[in-house]
Structure formats: structure tokens, C-alpha cells
Amino acid sequence: MVENTKQTTVIHFVADGEVREFHFNFQIFEAGDIDVYLDEKLTDTGYNVSVDEEIGGKVIFNQPPANGTRITIIRNLDIKRTSDFQEGGAFRAKVINHELDYQVATLQQLDEKINRSMIYPPYVQGEVSTSLPLPSSGKALVWNQQATALVNSSINVDNTIEEVTSLKNAAQTYALQTQQNAQQVSEYLSQSTEIFQQVSQKAEDVSDCAEVVKQDKEQVKEYVQLASYGNIGDIKYTSRTDVPNGGAWCDGAEYTQTQFPDIYQMLIDNKLQKTDYSTFNNTVSSKGSCGFFALDASAKKFKVPLLKEVYVKLGQTPSMFGAESLPNITGEFAVRFDTDFAKGAFYKKSSGAAATSGVGTGTINGFDASRSSSTYKSGVKVNPDHVVYRAYVVLFTKSAEVSMAQTQEFMTALGGKINVDLSNIPNNVDFVTESKINSDGSFYRKYKSGWLEQGGSLNTIEGTVTLLKPYKDTKYIVTRLLREDTTQAQLYNKNFSYFNITTTGFNIRNYQETRDSVWLACGQGA
């Protein structure tokens, strides 16, 4: 007997792969009064139903359902009468109770279905229809504009979802690509700035030494073509006022191994008399000269001897000496009469004193040769009748073939620097070899490495760009710069894309963005 109308008519289980029997606690009248679902599939085989009108019954599966299977048991009575009472016939309580129980069970079944149906709350005003429109593939159910009935949507929901998902994925890919492009452009600009600075510094260095190198080149060329005869390291004397070819004055000047490798090696091999820098400087300080070379092997440099000039007097053999000095000639004498008359080296010294000759009183007069000529002055050097010879050392000669070969190599290197030939710059330094800026603002810059940068203006929603210079392949990067004001520009890639990319051009689209801007392309040129 059904006790109340709130009795449940459906029960759910989850199989564990071992249990075969599943009990239900709602009343049925025969085994066919229930439906059994395994997950979402209605099944009528593989099980038996045991009925107990007092407590419900149970479903007994032949084999335990698989672990995790959702089992649904629901009452499904045919809506009908189960008895027919005849006029004047028997009216037994059992039959009446059975009929009433069945009808109540069908009402419970309907109530459960109604609870699973779409209904609107009782406080809704106006007439609202819950009738469904005819099915339409891919359409969704939506309320009409008056919110009084359900209608099919005007768009295909499945296609729209796919399009939105596709656009979302494309947008995410594009955003990532744009971010990578912007980062690469930033890195390229940073590298370009650093390269420009390196090239600029290299150009400044080359320019600074160009004039000096020109002079060195002419001097080296003269040394190679007109080198004097003699042995390297020989000290010679000449009456010339300019140093002979292949030589250097013995004036204590400093030179490097790179300038004169042969004589430097002779000093290293102890083939020339030498001393260290400290001894050389001390000797020059104390004696005014030093006949030794000075060597600094750690710094790879040396000094030539410092020798005084040689004077050859008339009728004498050459000898080394300083210019002679003529000491002043002075004296005094007395006369017996007083006078103020004196000329040249003579002068009135004093009067009234005893004359040194003992002949009486008178004026003491003096003699000073410097009063007539500054030559006669204590400490002043005067040059006698002589010829001056100056000492020089032979640094390289025509007989030193190795030295000439090294000098020629040095000249070749210097020649490249004089002409500021950028091909001599190391390979890791890049620089612009070709560039152009057109009147419409389009431009390109091509570097020694082949790197190509170019750009132009853009003020249309969509168009085709033809590149000024072709790229090696289609891997070059295009980005957009939006001109926000007249003083600065910022990266702006919103609503911007480029496609149909070839080595000579691409299509570009701004969508709804038509503000004045420029595009920039970077990559390896053809």
C-alpha cells in the first residue's frame, strides 16, 4: 500500500565492479514497472527484477556492472485502470486498495517527471508559453524579444563556438608572436646601437692616426727605397744637417720592436753594447751622454745612444769635445794725471788712490774685454773654426732583406689604415654599407653582414606593401610603430596584422585603426 504521494520513484547507484544486487524502496506491481539505465543507456537485458510490494524490490544483474558505472532505476507504470467494478458486483477492499495504490503510484511518477520539466514561477505576470519550437539543427533555444516564448536562435551555435574558439586561439598565437617580434626588434635595435658605437669609435681611432700614419708611410717608404749602406747597429758620423736614410740621430730617442725588429733582436742577442733604462738615464744625467743602447725587453722597446757632437778643428784630427769658451780678460793700470777719457775695453775705475806703479797719486783705470765684445764673457761657449759632425746609428740597411720585407709588410698595413678601409675592421663589427631615404619617408639600411632594415608610412586600413629591397626568405619580422605625437613613438600592434608574405612584399591590415603610423621590417637581405 502506497503511504504518501511524496514517495520517490527513482534511485541512483555507482557500481564498484563487484556488487550485483541493487535495492529500490518504491512500490511496483510487477517486474516490468521499472526502467534500468547504465550510464545514459536504457537497457532491458542482463538482469532480473525481484518484486516486494511492501518494500519495493531489487535489480539483480547477471554480471556485476563495471566499476564506476552510473546505475539509474526509475518507476515507469502504464497509466491505466487495473480493475473494473461491475454494477451490483462484489466490492472487495483488497481490489479497491490495489486500484488506489496503482493510481497514486502513477501520480507520483507524473510528479517526478514534472519536477524534471521546465516551468516558470507562479508570480510571472502575463502569458508565457513554454512550448518548444520545431527542432532546428545547430540552433539554440532563446527567449523572443517580448520574453513570452522560446524560439530557435538565428545563428548556428556550434559553428559560432568553433569560430570563437578559433579566433581566441588565433588571437593568443598572434599576441605571443607580436610579443616575440617586439622583443626581437628591441634586441636588434640595441645591437644596432652598439654596433654603430663600435664603428664610430673605430672610425675615430682610424681618423686620429691617419695623419701620423701618412707621415710614417712616407718615412718608411724613403727608408726602403734609399736605405744607407752599412751594418745594422753601426754608429756613424755625418756633417749633414738631416739624418741619413736608414739611420736615426744618436739623441737617446726611444723606439719599439715593431718599428725596428732587426736591431731589437740584435740587442736581445747581445750583439750590441747595451745597458738598462735606469743606468742609461743616470749616465746621461751625470755625464751628459751615454754610448750604450738602453733595452727594456719587458716593454719591447729600446733607446739609441746619446752622443755629443764632434768638432774637427783646422789642422787637427777629429775629436769629441765641447765648444771652447774664452774667459774674460781684465786688468788695471794707473797714470800720473787725472782724465775722464776712456774707450772700448778701457774705463775709469777710481781716482785719488795710490798708483800701483808707485809713481805717485793719480787715477786707477781698468781693462775689461767684455766691454767691447760679449764673446769674452765667463762661461760663454764660442765655436772655433771647425766642421761639426753628428753621430747617428744605422737602424736598417739594404743588406737586411728580412728587415725590408717586414718594413714593406708594415707599409701595406699602414696603407689600409690611411685610406680608412673598413674592410680591415674585425668581422664581429657590423656597419652600414648601403642606405637610402626617399621623399615619402620610406627607407632601407643594409649592413655588411647582410642584415636589412627597411620601413615606410601606413595610413590605410588595408593594402599591399612592396619592399624596397628583397629579403633572403620570408622569416623577416614586420612590426608597426604608431605615431602618438611629434616627439615620441611607441610600439603599437593592436588590430594590426600582415600576411601573404613573400621575399619582396606582404599584405597589411589595420582593421579599424587608421591613425598615421609606420611599419618596420627586419631580417636577412637577399
Side-chain angles (χ1 to χ4, degrees):
M1 177 178 181
V2 178
E3 297 180 355
N4 59 72
T5 57
K6 294 299 182 180
Q7 188 183 54
T8 181
T9 63
V10 62
I11 191 169
H12 305 280
F13 303 93
V14 176
D16 60 4
E18 296 181 0
V19 176
R20 296 173 51 239
E21 297 183 1
F22 297 89
H23 295 264
F24 54 90
N25 58 355
F26 49 84
Q27 185 180 20
I28 63 173
F29 302 94
E30 55 186 40
D33 290 344
I34 62 169
D35 288 337
V36 178
Y37 289 85
L38 297 180
D39 290 330
E40 298 176 0
K41 183 178 180 181
L42 175 64
T43 179
D44 56 3
T45 61
Y47 64 88
N48 296 313
V49 178
S50 174
V51 180
D52 185 338
E53 292 187 4
E54 296 298 327
I55 61 173
K58 58 182 177 181
V59 175
I60 305 171
F61 288 94
N62 300 336
Q63 298 293 333
N67 183 33
T69 302
R70 290 180 290 113
I71 301 170
T72 302
I73 303 173
I74 186 171
R75 185 164 57 193
N76 187 15
L77 299 176
D78 292 333
I79 299 177
K80 63 181 181 178
R81 288 185 59 174
T82 61
S83 61
D84 184 14
F85 298 99
Q86 299 297 322
E87 184 70 27
F91 197 68
R92 293 186 295 272
K94 182 178 180 179
V95 175
I96 294 176
N97 286 333
H98 183 275
E99 179 66 27
L100 291 176
D101 286 345
Y102 190 92
Q103 298 306 320
V104 170
T106 57
L107 291 175
Q108 291 174 340
Q109 178 178 305
L110 290 174
D111 183 62
E112 189 274 334
K113 289 184 178 181
I114 290 173
N115 288 336
R116 289 187 282 111
S117 302
M118 182 181 67
I119 60 176
Y120 56 85
Y123 48 78
V124 173
Q125 298 181 1
E127 294 185 1
V128 177
S129 173
T130 58
S131 299
L132 298 178
L134 291 176
S136 181
S137 177
K139 302 297 179 66
L141 292 176
V142 297
W143 291 104
N144 61 12
Q145 292 184 352
Q146 295 78 25
T148 58
L150 292 171
V151 295
N152 291 323
S153 63
S154 60
I155 61 173
N156 189 307
V157 175
D158 292 338
N159 294 343
T160 301
I161 293 175
E162 292 178 359
E163 291 175 0
V164 170
T165 301
S166 177
L167 290 174
K168 178 182 177 182
N169 294 336
Q172 291 176 341
T173 301
Y174 176 75
L176 179 59
Q177 180 182 0
T178 300
Q179 182 180 3
Q180 294 173 347
N181 292 347
Q183 183 177 357
Q184 290 181 357
V185 170
S186 177
E187 292 175 356
Y188 292 145
L189 292 177
S190 177
Q191 293 174 359
S192 297
T193 300
E194 183 178 353
I195 291 172
F196 288 150
Q197 292 175 348
Q198 292 176 355
V199 173
S200 177
Q201 184 62 48
K202 178 67 70 175
E204 290 179 5
D205 294 343
V206 173
S207 177
D208 290 341
C209 71
E211 189 62 31
V212 176
V213 173
K214 286 181 181 179
Q215 297 174 2
D216 291 344
K217 179 181 179 182
E218 293 301 322
Q219 184 177 1
V220 172
K221 182 178 181 181
E222 183 179 355
Y223 286 162
V224 174
Q225 294 176 346
L226 302 174
S228 62
Y229 293 97
N231 295 317
I232 293 177
D234 286 353
I235 296 178
K236 296 178 176 291
Y237 288 86
T238 180
S239 61
R240 292 175 54 167
T241 58
D242 62 326
V243 66
N245 295 310
W249 293 124
C250 290
D251 55 3
E254 184 178 70
Y255 300 94
T256 66
Q257 178 192 27
T258 303
Q259 291 174 295
F260 301 105
D262 296 299
I263 195 168
Y264 177 84
Q265 188 59 45
M266 292 178 68
L267 290 170
I268 294 294
D269 296 338
N270 295 317
K271 294 182 179 180
L272 297 173
Q273 297 186 48
K274 68 176 186 288
T275 185
D276 55 68
Y277 266 46
S278 177
T279 303
F280 183 92
N281 294 334
N282 291 336
T283 303
V284 171
S285 177
S286 61
K287 298 182 179 180
S289 63
C290 182
F292 292 93
F293 288 85
L295 176 64
D296 185 350
S298 61
K300 297 184 178 180
K301 58 184 181 179
F302 64 92
K303 288 184 178 180
V304 297
L306 176 59
L307 299 175
K308 294 181 179 180
E309 297 172 339
V310 171
Y311 297 87
V312 180
K313 285 187 177 181
L314 185 61
Q316 295 184 8
T317 58
S319 62
M320 182 181 294
F321 58 91
E324 292 182 343
S325 64
L326 295 179
N328 194 14
I329 303 173
T330 62
E332 60 185 20
F333 63 94
V335 296
R336 300 179 64 181
F337 52 85
D338 196 3
T339 179
D340 291 329
F341 180 79
K343 287 186 178 182
F346 297 96
Y347 66 99
K348 181 180 178 180
K349 189 172 183 181
S350 64
S351 61
T356 58
S357 61
V359 294
T361 62
T363 302
I364 298 177
N365 297 284
F367 179 85
D368 186 347
S370 66
R371 293 172 67 91
S372 63
S373 174
S374 61
T375 300
Y376 298 93
K377 193 172 185 179
S378 297
V380 175
K381 303 290 185 178
V382 296
N383 291 329
D385 185 12
H386 63 264
V387 178
V388 179
Y389 279 83
R390 296 182 64 189
Y392 71 95
V393 59
V394 178
L395 297 181
F396 66 90
T397 71
K398 287 184 177 179
S399 61
E401 298 297 336
V402 175
S403 176
M404 290 188 64
Q406 292 172 337
T407 304
Q408 185 60 47
E409 181 180 353
F410 181 56
M411 283 179 56
T412 302
L414 293 181
K417 299 301 181 185
I418 290 175
N419 297 326
V420 195
D421 182 5
L422 292 179
S423 64
N424 293 329
I425 296 177
N427 293 332
N428 61 345
V429 178
D430 208 358
F431 55 91
V432 177
T433 58
E434 183 181 356
S435 64
K436 184 178 181 181
I437 300 178
N438 298 320
S439 59
D440 61 356
S442 60
F443 73 97
Y444 73 88
R445 287 192 300 265
K446 193 168 186 179
Y447 293 76
K448 175 186 175 183
S449 63
W451 183 256
L452 178 61
E453 299 172 350
Q454 54 187 316
S457 61
L458 179 69
N459 54 15
T460 60
I461 293 180
E462 185 172 357
T464 300
V465 173
T466 301
L467 297 171
L468 299 176
K469 289 285 185 177
Y471 284 99
K472 178 181 179 181
D473 49 42
T474 59
K475 296 180 180 179
Y476 58 90
I477 300 171
V478 179
T479 189
R480 179 189 183 200
L481 299 173
L482 178 65
R483 186 70 64 182
E484 292 291 347
D485 53 49
T486 58
T487 61
Q488 69 178 35
Q490 68 176 14
L491 285 174
Y492 193 91
N493 287 305
K494 183 180 180 182
N495 295 332
F496 168 81
S497 65
Y498 61 102
F499 49 97
N500 294 339
I501 304 169
T502 67
T503 58
T504 58
F506 54 89
N507 287 354
I508 196 166
R509 179 180 295 128
N510 277 340
Y511 296 99
Q512 299 302 318
E513 189 58 56
T514 59
R515 283 185 285 180
D516 186 26
S517 59
V518 297
W519 57 268
L520 175 66
C522 300
Q524 195 69 18

